[in-house]
Structures are given as structure tokens and as C-alpha cells.
Amino acid sequence: QVRLVESGGGWVQAGGSLRVSCAASGLTFSSYHMGWFRQAPGKEREFVAAIMRNTGNRYYRDSVKGRFTISTDNAKNTVYLQMNNLKPEDTAVYYCAAAIRGVTVTREGSYDYWGQGTQVTVSS
């Protein structure tokens, strides 16, 4: 059974930093492309970042470029999202996801497995 479990969310003031983690089990972690998405209240879920396992390429939505960094630790089967200089508009539930096929990793439909999400709240 595949499980993705996020942790590390919380409350932070604008300009602060948080690192959210996603521990994977039940799959060959190093074979899966990993992504982070987020959903703010009243809005659709949106792509945040992804890392391609075959090339090591990283992708980010424009609004987080230069502030967020996605990384993986294969020894711990964990993907991270380091978030710096957080803004109130970053407030959302953050979800990690895993995709075996490396196609259009910015799209939700490309992912096979999802975590339950972790709340990140940024106050102004």
C-alpha cells in the first residue's frame, strides 16, 4: 500500500521560513517523480514544484521561484519543500504527490498518489 505523509506545516509570519516534508512508503521512491501542490480556501489546487528523477530537473510556479526549493532524500524516502520569504498568499494546504510517468508534472492528472496535506498559514 502506497502512503505519502506530509508534515512540517504550521504558522509563520510573513518573511519567515518553513520546511514541509513528505515521507513515502510502499513504492520505489527513487523511481517516482515528486511534486508539491497547494490549495488555498475557495481556490483550486495548484502546482507549486516538481523534481524529475531521471534528469534531476526542478520546476516551480513563477510566484515561488527564488523562494522555494524542492529536494529529495532517497535514504529517507522523503521529499522536502523548503519555503523562504513566505508571503500571506502562500497560505494553503500543501500536498505532495508521486508520478511514475514523467509527463507534464505541473498537472494534477499526471500523479498517481497523493498525501493528505499539511496546512501552512502565513500571517501579515
Side-chain angles (χ1 to χ4, degrees):
Q1 181 182 0
V2 175
R3 290 191 68 200
L4 301 177
V5 180
E6 298 95 337
S7 62
W11 177 89
V12 65
Q13 287 188 322
S17 298
L18 276 177
R19 187 179 76 165
V20 290
S21 305
C22 172
S25 60
L27 51 72
T28 304
F29 181 67
S30 59
S31 297
Y32 280 76
H33 311 290
M34 300 301 296
W36 285 96
F37 288 75
R38 67 187 181 187
Q39 186 168 22
K43 296 185 177 181
E44 295 187 351
R45 191 156 56 183
E46 63 183 18
F47 168 76
V48 177
I51 183 167
M52 303 296 290
R53 296 315 211 122
N54 52 343
T55 62
N57 289 342
R58 293 167 168 80
Y59 301 91
Y60 299 94
R61 70 179 299 106
D62 287 345
S63 63
V64 307
K65 286 180 181 177
R67 300 189 297 122
F68 289 14
T69 303
I70 186 172
S71 62
T72 57
D73 185 336
N74 287 340
K76 296 182 178 180
N77 283 8
T78 299
V79 57
Y80 302 98
L81 185 67
Q82 176 68 43
M83 303 181 289
N84 299 327
N85 190 21
L86 282 159
K87 303 177 180 181
E89 51 264 42
D90 295 318
T91 295
V93 177
Y94 283 72
Y95 300 89
C96 72
I100 189 64
R101 293 168 299 280
V103 293
T104 321
V105 290
T106 58
R107 296 180 62 180
E108 288 188 53
S110 297
Y111 290 85
D112 305 290
Y113 303 105
W114 291 83
Q116 82 290 347
T118 186
Q119 176 71 46
V120 172
T121 302
V122 184
S123 65
S124 58

